[in-house]
Amino acid sequence: MIALTQYLIKYALLLPFRESHGVLTTLSDFNFFLLVFATLCIAAGGYIINDIHDIETDKINKPNQLIINKHITEKTATTVFMVLNIIGVGIGFYLANGIGKSGFFAIFFIASALLYIYSTSLKQIAVVGNVAVSIVVALSILLVGIFELVPAMNTNNNVVQTTFINIIKDYAIFAFMINLVREMAKDIEDIDGDHNAGIQTLPVLLGRARANKIVFIISLVPIVAITHYVITYLFKQQLVVAYFLILVIAPLIYVSIKLFNAETKAQYKHISLVLKVVMLTGMLSLVLYNFILK
């Protein structure tokens, strides 16, 4: 989904408006592939280090999905984690220097470090860990705007470039909100394993019922925000409005209703799956900008 979103931003949002709106991009097709590959390496590394530190909790929460110490050793997993991060950060360094913005390399380093710190300590702090992961998800989207649009900005195209950066920023905020709700719902789903491991997630600290109410309230935020966005910016495009109502807003309302009454592990797993689908349909809406910006 990360790769799909990044490719949609470049090839469905930016390049189609190169001639009509004067959008300038920086990276060649190959270098953009490297950007996506570097992002995936860091994301994959994040999953691996998380699995390493979740061995005990996953024995309870996801016994059928255990990989480390079942299919590969912890030592091998740690080696793969290190290799993936070296590749991801190394490519980030190469790309940043290639576009004359060496400081942009810090984004890859911060994302890698944040995922490591999340797995080793932040996930044990209620809500903080959820926010950290959601920030990294948002960064993977912002990354395209930062590398593609910012270096090509000049006095002549500043307004156009800024407009498209803002669109990308809005999608990053969308991803942050959806992922935050999903991460918090997953914490409630995984309460048993987290409690046994001494991880102080919100449901462990407050109990399932209270945490559920908080997640329910937070789940209303993206509904209100997206509805406001559609009314403010997209209301003239009936097709686009229908898309967002049916494939984004309606499923989010469904999630909130389900959250209000959720009690079992299976219900939270279902909610998590629906939110993943909403993330996908939300990102696929990038294709609609050919209609929105005509």
Side-chain angles (χ1 to χ4, degrees):
M1 198 179 295
I2 290 170
L4 174 65
T5 300
Q6 290 182 324
Y7 268 99
L8 281 171
I9 291 170
K10 181 174 176 79
Y11 293 97
L13 178 65
L14 301 181
L15 292 189
F17 300 101
R18 186 163 49 188
E19 293 183 10
S20 60
H21 287 68
V23 176
L24 291 180
T25 55
T26 306
L27 300 176
S28 66
D29 288 343
F30 178 69
N31 280 350
F32 186 75
F33 163 77
L34 288 180
L35 181 77
V36 175
F37 183 67
T39 308
L40 293 181
C41 284
I42 291 171
Y47 272 106
I48 292 170
I49 194 66
N50 190 57
D51 278 359
I52 291 170
H53 287 273
D54 272 0
I55 291 171
E56 294 306 314
T57 58
D58 285 348
K59 284 179 182 176
I60 298 169
N61 294 329
K62 304 166 186 173
N64 298 323
Q65 296 177 33
L66 280 174
I67 296 174
I68 297 170
N69 288 341
K70 188 175 180 182
H71 298 290
I72 62 169
T73 65
E74 189 173 331
K75 185 179 179 180
T76 301
T78 303
T79 302
V80 175
F81 159 74
M82 292 174 66
V83 169
L84 285 171
N85 275 277
I86 290 168
I87 292 171
V89 174
I91 292 173
F93 181 78
Y94 163 77
L95 291 173
N97 280 279
I99 61 174
K101 299 285 184 180
S102 56
F104 288 0
F105 150 75
I107 300 168
F108 292 90
F109 182 80
I110 290 168
S112 175
L114 204 52
L115 287 172
Y116 177 79
I117 296 167
Y118 163 78
S119 297
T120 55
S121 57
L122 291 182
K123 72 178 339 180
Q124 299 180 30
I125 307 172
V127 184
V128 174
N130 305 135
V131 171
V133 170
S134 300
I135 286 172
V136 176
V137 170
L139 267 178
S140 71
I141 295 170
L142 283 172
L143 198 62
V144 180
I146 292 168
F147 271 78
E148 286 284 16
L149 298 176
V150 173
M153 287 180 76
N154 56 54
T155 52
N156 296 323
N157 68 5
N158 185 62
V159 174
V160 172
Q161 299 289 95
T162 302
T163 298
F164 280 84
I165 288 172
N166 285 334
I167 292 170
I168 295 169
K169 178 197 71 181
D170 292 335
Y171 274 86
I173 293 170
F174 165 79
F176 173 86
M177 291 189 297
I178 302 302
N179 197 75
L180 181 61
V181 176
R182 184 168 176 265
E183 287 292 324
M184 295 180 79
K186 281 166 65 182
D187 277 352
I188 303 176
E189 178 189 344
D190 293 341
I191 186 172
D192 295 333
D194 290 342
H195 182 269
N196 285 353
I199 298 174
Q200 301 297 301
T201 60
L202 196 67
V204 171
L205 289 174
L206 302 180
R208 183 183 273 114
R210 288 179 182 174
N212 196 77
K213 289 176 184 176
I214 292 171
V215 179
F216 166 74
I217 292 168
I218 293 173
S219 76
L220 300 176
V221 175
I223 296 172
V224 174
I226 296 164
T227 302
H228 171 74
Y229 188 88
V230 171
I231 292 170
T232 305
Y233 299 107
L234 310 174
F235 69 97
K236 291 182 180 178
Q237 305 286 343
Q238 292 183 352
L239 175 65
V240 178
V241 171
Y243 181 95
F244 275 94
L245 282 174
I246 296 167
L247 295 175
V248 179
I249 296 171
L252 286 175
I253 293 171
Y254 170 80
V255 163
S256 292
I257 293 168
K258 284 290 183 182
L259 269 170
F260 191 76
N261 300 307
E263 292 180 351
T264 67
K265 193 179 182 77
Q267 288 173 316
Y268 288 108
K269 192 170 186 178
H270 174 67
I271 287 166
S272 177
L273 177 62
V274 174
L275 285 169
K276 191 181 282 189
V277 173
V278 171
M279 182 80 83
L280 177 62
T281 56
M283 293 307 162
L284 286 173
S285 69
L286 283 159
V287 175
L288 299 175
Y289 274 84
N290 277 301
F291 300 97
I292 297 168
L293 297 177
K294 272 186 177 179

